[in-house]
Amino acid sequence: MPRAPAKSSAARSSTKSPPRPDPRALLSWYDRRRRDLPWRAAPGERADPYAVWLSEIMLQQTTVEAVKPYFLGFLARWPSVEALAAAPLEEVMKAWAGLGYYARARNLHACAQQVAFERGGVFPREEDDLLSLPGVGPYTAAAVAAIAFDAPCVAVDGNVERVVARLFAIDRPIREAKRELRETAQTLRPAARSGDFTQALMDLGATVCTPRGPRCDLCPFASGCEAARRGETERFPVKAQKLEKPLRRGAAFVLTCGGAALLRTRPPRGLLGGMSEFPSTPFRVDFDPSRAQAHAPAAARWRALPGEVEHVFTHFSLRLTIFAATLPAPPPHIENGRWTPLARLSEEGLPTLMRKVAVRAGLIVE
């Protein structure tokens, strides 16, 4: 029986796995192309653990561009963990308004107090110790340990997950492959410069290995990337089926009197916990608009404003009907209510949803 002809070297090379990614190539690229970020130490300078921690808490599920002005504002107002710990929680919540995910602000303040009052203002250096702090999960612990203290670990955020998924053509959605992605990323870590390596992976994902149209021609890992070898960079990471967010409805009540608006503070736990709001109903899938005024903060001639305010939270979408009324004199007592002069409404640190309500009611002009 005749033997099949031997494969050519070109054919053999087309099926050969790419060489393993070289961390030295990434670090060399980072030294030339690193992003200039306000919380990042300059080359050769020691990172400030407070700045690293503050930025990483703010960056959770939030873009770099959105975080920059908040980070600079916090650092100018509270330049140390001791200063932040001494600040009233209400002031911290107001300064955080608009950044979203408000439980982060409460945990930020609690963590600052623990570090300042129980640890002498010194952040722990090890991942396990960092994990004991309020609001610090596995990613943040690894990021602070690596970036601030050069601990031997790699922090894996969304950018890093995308890079690793493409490098090794991991054929499962990120949601299902998180542990594999995290463990694989650790195997890439060089013996030194863990902090720079972590930031280099983040920068690579943010600027080169982007979700759409990755610039493989600029990538220091291109020769070691399995997705690039296959010509399938757009297929990775594998996309999970998108689940439609449930729609909830509710109502908010804008009550004015003598040039002031009625606000209240939401309960400390739960959605928008501890933030200022116009009195509102619960947000429910089965909300009945005909019964909304049972939740009104005071008896008044309420009128429904045209249209609705729409907002998207992490786990659901919301549509709010806005009721407005004006009183000639304030009622003697409204539980948990306070009158805020309209001229100072913007100083209240309204969350984005309530700012939309104020705009719809004509109290704030954008």
Side-chain angles (χ1 to χ4, degrees):
M1 187 173 184
R3 297 176 62 183
K7 289 184 179 179
S8 67
S9 60
R12 286 195 301 271
S13 64
S14 67
T15 60
K16 191 183 300 181
S17 295
R20 185 169 179 79
D22 185 352
R24 293 171 300 178
L26 179 63
L27 286 169
S28 176
W29 171 85
Y30 177 71
D31 289 339
R32 300 189 310 273
R33 303 292 183 184
R34 54 183 285 148
R35 289 180 292 175
D36 183 15
L37 300 174
W39 46 82
R40 184 172 282 178
E45 289 185 1
R46 186 184 298 275
D48 175 9
Y50 172 64
V52 174
W53 163 77
L54 179 61
S55 67
E56 290 299 340
I57 299 296
M58 289 183 167
L59 286 164
Q60 292 170 7
Q61 297 183 293
T62 309
T63 65
V64 165
E65 291 308 311
V67 164
K68 282 180 180 179
Y70 283 89
F71 173 82
L72 292 170
F74 265 69
L75 206 62
R77 190 169 180 182
W78 301 298
S80 68
V81 70
E82 292 87 354
L84 181 59
L89 176 59
E90 315 84 74
E91 294 303 311
V92 174
M93 298 298 286
K94 285 181 182 180
W96 190 277
L99 199 54
Y101 303 96
Y102 295 98
R104 292 182 299 168
R106 291 192 299 275
N107 285 328
L108 182 86
H109 190 252
C111 183
Q113 291 192 321
Q114 188 174 126
V115 171
F117 303 146
E118 299 177 22
R119 295 177 174 270
V122 178
F123 280 87
R125 302 175 65 91
E126 305 295 333
E127 279 185 90
D128 288 347
D129 293 333
L130 286 160
L131 281 168
S132 70
L133 298 175
V136 175
Y139 163 75
T140 305
V144 174
I147 298 170
F149 302 112
D150 210 33
C153 54
V154 178
V156 180
D157 68 355
N159 284 321
V160 177
E161 287 175 338
R162 183 170 57 257
V163 170
V164 175
R166 284 174 173 161
L167 282 175
F168 297 93
I170 293 175
D171 216 359
R172 290 188 294 152
I174 282 179
R175 192 184 308 153
E176 301 171 14
K178 281 191 174 291
R179 181 173 180 177
E180 181 182 358
L181 291 165
R182 190 168 58 249
E183 291 176 351
T184 303
Q186 306 307 316
T187 69
L188 296 173
R189 181 181 55 80
R193 297 184 67 187
S194 293
D196 284 345
F197 184 73
T198 282
Q199 293 174 103
L201 280 174
M202 294 174 180
D203 282 11
L204 187 68
T207 64
V208 174
C209 194
T210 50
R212 296 178 185 84
R215 294 295 308 275
C216 298
D217 55 318
L218 301 178
C219 180
F221 276 165
S223 63
C225 180
E226 178 64 18
R229 185 189 71 81
R230 298 181 188 179
E232 294 183 330
T233 51
E234 294 282 3
R235 188 168 83 81
F236 296 96
V238 174
K239 294 168 182 61
Q241 183 178 358
K242 269 196 172 180
L243 301 177
E244 191 173 344
K245 293 184 178 183
L247 174 63
R248 299 186 191 180
R249 294 180 183 271
F253 300 92
V254 179
L255 185 61
T256 55
C257 177
L262 181 70
L263 296 179
R264 69 182 184 188
T265 301
R266 289 181 66 86
R269 301 295 172 193
L271 187 71
L272 303 178
M275 300 301 294
S276 297
E277 70 158 3
F278 295 98
S280 59
T281 67
F283 306 150
R284 302 174 60 94
V285 173
D286 58 352
F287 173 74
D288 182 356
S290 67
R291 303 181 65 180
Q293 291 191 35
H295 296 272
R301 300 181 67 177
W302 294 100
R303 69 188 190 282
L305 301 184
E308 294 177 305
V309 165
E310 298 184 1
H311 192 72
V312 178
F313 291 100
T314 306
H315 301 298
F316 66 92
S317 299
L318 176 66
R319 291 182 184 172
L320 278 186
T321 300
I322 311 303
F323 292 92
T326 300
L327 293 175
H333 175 69
I334 296 180
E335 186 177 358
N336 192 28
R338 64 184 185 278
W339 294 97
T340 299
L342 298 180
R344 295 179 54 193
L345 205 54
S346 60
E347 300 173 18
E348 272 288 334
L350 294 173
T352 302
L353 170 62
M354 292 300 153
R355 188 172 180 85
K356 290 179 180 179
V357 172
V359 169
R360 176 58 60 88
L363 303 185
I364 293 178
V365 178
E366 287 197 332

